[in-house]
Amino acid sequence: MSFTSDGSLFTWCTNQRTSVAESKKYETICKIDDPSISQIRLSPKGTYLSTWAQYKAKENVQESCNLHIWNVKTGTIVKSFIQKKQIGWHPQWSDDEKLCARNVNNEVHFFEDAKFDTISKKIFIQKVAYFSLAPGSAPYHVACFVPGTKGQPSFVRLFKYPNFEGSNSVIAQKSFFKAERTDFYWNKTGKDCIFLTSVDVDKSGMSYYGELNLYYASVKGETAKIKLGKDGPVYSVQWSPNSLEFCVVYGFMPAKATIFNLKCEPVLDFDAAPRNEVTYSPVGDNILDVMLFIKKFSILKFSCNIEVWDLKLKKQITKFKAQDSTLIQWSYNGEYILTATTSPRLRIGNGYRVWHYTGSLLVEVSLESNEELYDIKWKPVPEGTYKPEPTTFTPVPGIKSSIPEASKLVYRPPGAQGKQASFKLHEEEAPKSAEKDAVMTKNKKKNLARKAKKEIEKSTENEESANANESIKIEATYSTELTGDPEKDKKIKSVLKKLSQIDKLKQDQAAGKPLELNQLEKIKKAGELEEELANLQLS
């Protein structure tokens, strides 16, 4: 489901139909009776609705089209395309809807004024894997990522529409190695862009996340690599509403959070803590107060701690826990925070809560045990509707949560229960006698070596047996249903393999075995992998 940027229209799809409603009285204005639609996207002003369904080849080319652009008012199809890949499926629109672009066979095609029968312009530079149309009004800017091949570096180039040809067409370029794909982050003005590059495998073996790097480019031609103060993955990147600063959460746990200016210089460092996401309040500028919250999850429990900061005073306003939260959003007036427990990430205890930014709980709604909450959103408002208010550090009156708090007791194995927390391993073993400490004879050494060899052989047999039963265990825990799509099934098998490895690590951890930092990070990805598996099997 989604809203238009101003909140005037709302759209959602089910396994029966896709609907669009105006959001004053939520009266339906458009219905599309197509149960195969799984992805939807409204254009910025809500004039057009893009829908995508799983591609199925047919004899008739028109019947094979699975990406449709609809006129919302008339409910008719404006244009249909064949779009095989789900990643990057949706056309990208300029904010005024005068320009529409989509990636086709490693090219970027541009259409003006919704005239889809005529390609106005093309970008063709080797093989464009990803592109991003900047927000904001004309002149329009676009960033393109081309992965490197045969020892050549990857690169990102910035263009100004419609100047795509000639030696002076590139307004900014950054080249780099170790990049298979990239995510683009534009600020509100559409003048500055951060791109996060990544590869699946870190050859150094230091990170489960692969290898990630962060770069900056502007339409003025400036480029830079953003130097982070700690090794490890990049968890979250977000621009400030003032478009002059951005915050990055990165590094092996405990992670760092740093705010950078447009010169990519750090201007504020937060102390290391187990954070993994940053979100700015929607209202704020470089003069008035700006708040952000950072959420973090524990390794074994799906808890969520929220920190709220006043960036003008560089002071923490509050810190509170929102148990089992899978979703967190600021309200558009910057006063409230929405947290929710949603399916399929967590299928029990679904519901939502609304907090004041000082940490007071104001609203709590819990669903029945047989109900699931898939998504929840604040209704957007037109830009400039709300103005920043002075920050308060005094908690407002609130209510007490009816959800019981998770136990704060440290996990203790069954053999350690009932003992003092300060017990030590092997403390009850009898002390070794002086005779055992004496030099062993040659025969004793041989006997011990023989016993050790038998133990190793027995351990190897047990390990092989465990590996043989691994597939049985994973089937008992997760759905191993395949889709019939070779590319998607390959991803499903990869996710199942990672989940199996995580389950093994959890067993080792429960048994008291110490884990490395990268193994702890791997465990932390279990929820995301389960969600990815569910999405792959549903689509």
Side-chain angles (χ1 to χ4, degrees):
M1 67 180 193
S2 67
F3 285 95
T4 51
S5 56
D6 62 356
S8 60
L9 295 180
F10 173 69
T11 182
W12 71 99
C13 72
T14 67
N15 57 3
Q16 295 178 332
R17 67 180 59 87
T18 297
S19 307
V20 182
E22 55 79 27
S23 56
K24 287 185 178 179
K25 297 182 180 179
Y26 287 94
E27 295 178 349
T28 302
I29 60 176
C30 178
K31 286 185 179 180
I32 304 169
D33 293 318
D34 184 351
S36 66
I37 293 174
S38 62
Q39 301 291 325
I40 55 175
R41 181 70 65 95
L42 281 166
S43 60
K45 291 186 175 182
T47 309
Y48 305 99
L49 172 69
S50 301
T51 65
W52 182 88
Q54 187 73 37
Y55 175 74
K56 295 179 180 179
K58 298 180 180 179
E59 293 182 3
N60 189 315
V61 174
Q62 187 61 33
E63 291 179 355
S64 296
C65 292
N66 61 322
L67 167 58
H68 304 289
I69 299 177
W70 306 74
N71 185 303
V72 171
K73 287 185 178 180
T74 63
T76 57
I77 295 177
V78 178
K79 185 66 176 178
S80 298
F81 301 97
I82 292 177
Q83 175 67 33
K84 296 182 180 181
K85 294 182 179 180
Q86 182 177 345
I87 297 175
W89 71 268
H90 58 87
Q92 298 186 30
W93 296 84
S94 60
D95 288 351
D96 56 11
E97 295 187 354
K98 291 185 177 180
L99 198 66
C100 181
R102 61 184 297 261
N103 197 336
V104 184
N105 297 327
N106 300 314
E107 298 178 356
V108 183
H109 293 181
F110 292 87
F111 306 91
E112 294 182 355
D113 299 319
K115 297 177 181 177
F116 293 102
D117 292 329
T118 304
I119 299 174
S120 300
K121 287 289 180 180
K122 286 184 182 181
I123 294 180
F124 178 71
I125 41 174
Q126 298 177 19
K127 293 184 178 181
V128 179
Y130 301 94
F131 83 99
S132 179
L133 188 61
S137 57
Y140 311 110
H141 295 92
V142 59
C144 295
F145 168 73
V146 176
T149 56
K150 296 181 181 179
Q152 297 299 315
S154 306
F155 58 84
V156 166
R157 287 179 181 173
L158 265 60
F159 299 90
K160 183 170 75 172
Y161 184 85
N163 304 322
F164 301 138
E165 299 178 0
S167 57
N168 297 325
S169 60
V170 180
I171 58 177
Q173 175 172 313
K174 187 65 178 175
S175 302
F176 37 81
F177 289 93
K178 300 179 182 180
E180 296 173 348
R181 59 183 176 275
T182 187
D183 296 313
F184 296 98
Y185 301 87
W186 293 93
N187 59 9
K188 279 186 178 180
T189 65
K191 307 298 182 185
D192 304 272
C193 182
I194 298 166
F195 43 100
L196 174 65
T197 65
S198 60
V199 290
D200 287 332
V201 179
D202 179 8
K203 293 183 179 179
S204 68
M206 293 295 293
S207 175
Y208 165 74
Y209 294 85
E211 188 166 350
L212 303 99
N213 288 287
L214 214 55
Y215 301 89
Y216 163 85
S218 76
V219 298
K220 296 179 181 179
E222 300 166 340
T223 62
K225 180 176 181 180
I226 301 171
K227 297 180 180 179
L228 303 177
K230 189 175 184 179
D231 293 333
V234 176
Y235 303 105
S236 182
V237 180
Q238 193 177 67
W239 283 95
S240 164
N242 61 29
S243 293
L244 300 175
E245 297 174 338
F246 59 92
C247 186
V248 185
V249 183
Y250 60 95
F252 294 117
M253 291 294 169
K256 287 196 67 175
T258 303
I259 295 178
F260 298 86
N261 59 21
L262 292 182
K263 295 181 179 180
C264 299
E265 299 169 338
V267 295
L268 179 61
D269 266 325
F270 295 83
D271 292 336
R275 309 178 175 106
N276 62 3
E277 188 167 327
V278 56
T279 302
Y280 280 89
S281 168
V283 292
D285 54 39
N286 59 325
I287 300 175
L288 297 174
D289 297 339
V290 185
M291 287 88 69
L292 63 88
F293 68 81
I294 300 171
K295 65 182 182 181
K296 53 186 182 246
F297 301 96
S298 67
I299 304 285
L300 295 176
K301 298 177 182 178
F302 209 91
S303 62
C304 178
N305 295 327
I306 299 174
E307 302 173 26
V308 186
W309 290 77
D310 183 315
L311 297 184
K312 182 179 178 182
L313 300 177
K314 298 180 176 62
K315 183 179 179 181
Q316 187 179 105
I317 298 173
T318 188
K319 178 179 177 181
F320 61 95
K321 179 175 290 188
Q323 187 175 326
D324 294 339
S325 295
T326 60
L327 177 150
I328 300 179
Q329 293 178 1
W330 275 103
S331 65
Y332 285 89
N333 65 356
E335 188 171 357
Y336 306 108
I337 297 171
L338 169 70
T339 67
T341 304
T342 57
S343 179
R345 198 161 184 180
L346 286 178
R347 296 187 182 275
I348 58 174
N350 284 192
Y352 67 91
R353 286 177 278 184
V354 178
W355 312 74
H356 191 264
Y357 69 79
T358 54
S360 301
L361 179 61
L362 305 179
V363 177
E364 184 175 69
V365 176
S366 299
L367 274 64
E368 298 294 333
S369 59
N370 62 337
E371 294 181 320
E372 293 182 355
L373 176 65
Y374 297 114
D375 201 0
I376 183 169
K377 297 179 185 292
W378 293 103
K379 175 186 171 184
V381 296
E383 187 75 21
T385 300
Y386 297 109
K387 301 296 181 183
E389 298 289 340
T391 305
T392 176
F393 287 79
T394 304
V396 302
I399 62 174
K400 186 176 181 180
S401 174
S402 61
I403 300 176
E405 289 189 12
S407 173
K408 297 182 180 179
L409 297 176
V410 177
Y411 171 79
R412 306 187 69 184
Q417 293 177 3
K419 298 183 180 181
Q420 295 182 358
S422 59
F423 79 97
K424 296 180 181 179
L425 190 65
H426 306 308
E427 69 178 4
E428 295 181 1
E429 291 183 359
K432 295 181 180 180
S433 64
E435 181 181 353
K436 291 182 180 180
D437 293 332
V439 179
M440 293 183 293
T441 65
K442 186 176 181 179
N443 289 335
K444 285 183 178 180
K445 288 182 179 180
K446 286 183 178 180
N447 290 335
L448 288 175
R450 193 179 298 111
K451 289 181 181 179
K453 184 179 180 180
K454 289 182 179 180
E455 290 294 329
I456 292 173
E457 291 175 350
K458 184 178 179 181
S459 176
T460 302
E461 290 175 0
N462 292 338
E463 185 176 350
E464 289 175 352
S465 176
N467 291 336
N469 293 329
E470 185 176 356
S471 60
I472 299 175
K473 292 179 181 178
I474 196 72
E475 287 180 8
T477 308
Y478 306 102
S479 171
T480 59
E481 180 182 354
L482 301 179
T483 64
D485 183 338
E487 184 177 348
K488 191 167 291 184
D489 289 346
K490 183 178 179 182
K491 293 180 181 179
I492 289 174
K493 291 177 182 178
S494 176
V495 173
L496 287 170
K497 183 178 179 181
K498 292 178 182 178
L499 287 170
S500 175
Q501 293 170 351
I502 290 174
D503 288 342
K504 178 64 169 59
L505 290 174
K506 286 182 178 180
Q507 293 173 13
D508 291 344
Q509 191 175 47
K513 182 179 177 180
L515 301 182
E516 301 293 334
L517 281 175
N518 61 331
Q519 293 175 319
L520 295 176
E521 292 299 329
K522 198 169 185 177
I523 291 176
K524 192 175 175 185
K525 294 286 288 185
E528 295 180 14
L529 289 169
E530 290 171 358
E531 184 177 9
E532 181 182 353
L533 178 63
N535 291 335
L536 286 168
Q537 292 174 334
L538 286 173
S539 58

